[in-house]
Amino acid sequence: MDERSPLEVEIRRRITAAGPMPVAEYMALCLGDAEHGYYMTRDPLGARGDFITAPEISQMFGELIGLWMAAVWKQLGAPENIRIIELGPGHGTMMKDALRAVQVMPAFRDALVVHLIEISPALRAQQERTLDALTTQVLWHAALDEVPNGPAIIVANEFFDALPVNQAVKSERAWHERQIEIDFAGNLAFTVARDPLPRFEMLLPPAARQAPEQSIFEWRADTVAMDIGRRIADDGGAALVIDYGHVESAVGETLQAVGQHAYADPLTTPGGIDITAHVDFQALARAVEAMGANGFGPVEQSQFLRRLGIETRAAALKAKATSRAAADIDSALARLLGHDRTGMGMLFKVAAFAHPSVGALPGFEA
Ligand code: SAH
């Protein structure tokens, strides 16, 4: 028999003791278990890791986010103190590039304090290294509600996809929670709860109620989205959420596991692979807006980055680059904007939120 990881042993123990485990609980353990969770023990990012993200593809990404934050700060009335909050900063690359870009705006640079929300000790250490040389004050927190009150600009790239997702499966009469059990052969396997989820259909968007049998509907706890909305509505500020996902709530399974840049079975090597699911931007917006913030978008990442001027920035960088570096800039641009299979331009969406007193945010103009 193959060796089981310590996390798999623990998951099996829990299933044996308490019965099948909801998908969200499984995902939360796989990613965030304090001892064996995927993010807690390793550095998943980069060419040698399991996946690569936009800020790791090109410095242009973080630079444009920096300029976006500076423009939004002005729209907020240029408050003397502004909290720049990033959820799930990975290597800290986006923040490093953003802060470098805003050095040309001393008033904004001097008004900001950076707050990074990170659960992983390994990645937090990496963020400390990345941001070490900066003069900007950087503070770390485990959760958004630990950041002191006051106006804030919140940014999150590929954060929400890593939050645990619940799944329900439609049967002839009702929806049942999807769970993980130990099957007859002794393997972890998907199953569905015998009892239906009470009144689940009422919570679904009308189109999803008509879905055929066996359809899967995914949803997340709205806690973080509501925290963002509450903060913005109470203290002023704005938020930017970039992730892969769909514009409207719909049925469909998007739970996926990735290890070393290839798809993997989410039930093998728990804790050893990344597990994510698409972000439902409609559900996200509903939760943020319910707290009193205004929503913008979502727009496709390609459209957002073009509106912020990524092509002009690429041309400026290329003008100073060797031909080899210029080719790298072109391929980074193609990846960030591309609508083909390898491109992020279409699958990735960008949504923003702001206090109701703030007009249309950069990148979301009508
Ligand atoms: N934004 C980065 C990293 C994306 S990976 C980039 O674009 O490169 C997801 C990040 O979110 C990691 O830093 C991970 O450790 C962090 N993370 C995941 N779940 C979290 C949670 N519940 N609270 C705080 N950070 C979390």
Side-chain angles (χ1 to χ4, degrees):
M1 198 159 68
D2 57 357
E3 283 226 357
R4 286 177 187 146
S5 67
L7 188 58
E8 179 165 359
V9 171
E10 170 60 14
I11 286 168
R12 285 168 169 274
R13 188 194 65 73
R14 290 195 192 198
I15 293 174
T16 307
M21 175 181 285
V23 171
E25 184 182 338
Y26 176 78
M27 186 170 166
L29 285 168
C30 287
L31 297 182
D33 178 73
E35 222 180 316
H36 307 296
Y38 174 77
Y39 280 114
M40 310 307 268
T41 55
R42 70 193 71 217
D43 177 0
L45 287 156
R48 268 173 299 163
D50 288 327
F51 58 91
I52 189 153
T53 56
E56 303 297 329
I57 289 172
S58 169
Q59 67 181 75
M60 294 185 286
F61 189 82
E63 288 168 351
L64 292 173
I65 300 302
L67 299 178
W68 185 88
M69 296 192 302
V72 169
W73 172 71
K74 280 194 189 147
Q75 272 182 277
L76 295 172
E80 224 171 280
N81 291 298
I82 183 86
R83 288 139 190 77
I84 299 294
I85 306 174
E86 182 174 2
L87 306 172
H91 284 184
T93 309
M94 183 172 96
M95 191 54 75
K96 182 190 74 181
D97 292 333
L99 292 173
R100 190 182 56 250
V102 305
Q103 292 308 309
V104 296
M105 282 162 279
F108 176 53
R109 183 197 62 200
D110 295 343
L112 67 88
V113 170
V114 173
H115 296 265
L116 301 181
I117 314 299
E118 178 57 68
I119 46 159
S120 161
L123 286 173
R124 181 185 156 154
Q126 175 65 52
Q127 291 152 21
E128 284 172 13
R129 287 193 290 276
T130 305
L131 300 170
D132 185 41
L134 297 171
T135 50
T136 313
Q137 192 184 1
V138 183
L139 301 165
W140 277 265
H141 311 273
L144 182 56
D145 59 13
E146 292 176 14
V147 180
N149 289 355
I153 298 174
I154 304 168
V155 292
N157 185 60
E158 289 207 42
F159 169 76
F160 281 92
D161 66 78
L163 296 186
V165 77
N166 303 278
Q167 293 186 324
V169 183
K170 192 175 180 186
S171 70
E172 194 190 344
R173 290 165 191 282
W175 291 83
H176 300 255
E177 178 141 42
R178 198 163 185 232
Q179 303 171 318
I180 289 138
E181 64 168 358
I182 301 171
D183 68 9
F184 289 117
N187 299 315
L188 294 180
F190 286 107
T191 184
V192 288
R194 202 193 45 201
D195 294 332
L197 288 159
R199 296 174 184 273
F200 187 73
E201 199 144 276
M202 291 171 58
L203 302 168
L204 286 176
R209 289 180 207 161
Q210 316 302 328
E213 260 176 63
Q214 297 306 317
S215 293
I216 291 181
F217 186 81
E218 298 176 334
W219 77 99
R220 287 187 164 87
D222 289 328
T223 335
V224 182
M226 288 166 74
D227 279 351
I228 291 175
R230 202 178 298 118
R231 244 206 114 93
I232 291 175
D234 291 353
D235 293 358
L240 187 70
V241 175
I242 307 168
D243 222 312
Y244 45 96
H246 34 277
V247 170
E248 283 179 4
S249 304
V251 293
E253 194 197 5
T254 70
L255 188 78
Q256 66 177 36
V258 168
Q260 284 161 0
H261 299 268
Y263 289 110
D265 176 352
L267 300 187
T268 58
T269 52
I273 47 174
D274 188 35
I275 306 182
T276 64
H278 284 199
V279 173
D280 177 344
F281 277 91
Q282 187 177 4
L284 177 83
R286 202 186 305 118
V288 180
E289 291 168 24
M291 298 295 110
N294 274 357
F296 301 92
V299 298
E300 290 174 1
Q301 173 169 299
S302 54
Q303 188 179 23
F304 180 72
L305 294 176
R306 281 204 174 93
R307 283 179 174 180
L308 295 192
I310 195 167
E311 283 152 329
T312 314
R313 180 71 189 130
L317 286 172
K318 277 169 69 178
K320 294 183 289 186
T322 63
S323 61
R324 179 130 179 248
D328 288 346
I329 293 166
D330 279 336
S331 74
L333 203 57
R335 255 184 109 177
L336 293 175
L337 303 181
H339 277 198
D340 60 347
R341 206 179 51 83
T342 55
M344 310 172 92
M346 192 159 67
L347 177 60
F348 279 72
K349 313 284 185 315
V350 187
F353 305 94
H355 188 274
S357 64
V358 182
L361 298 170
F364 300 91
E365 301 89 350

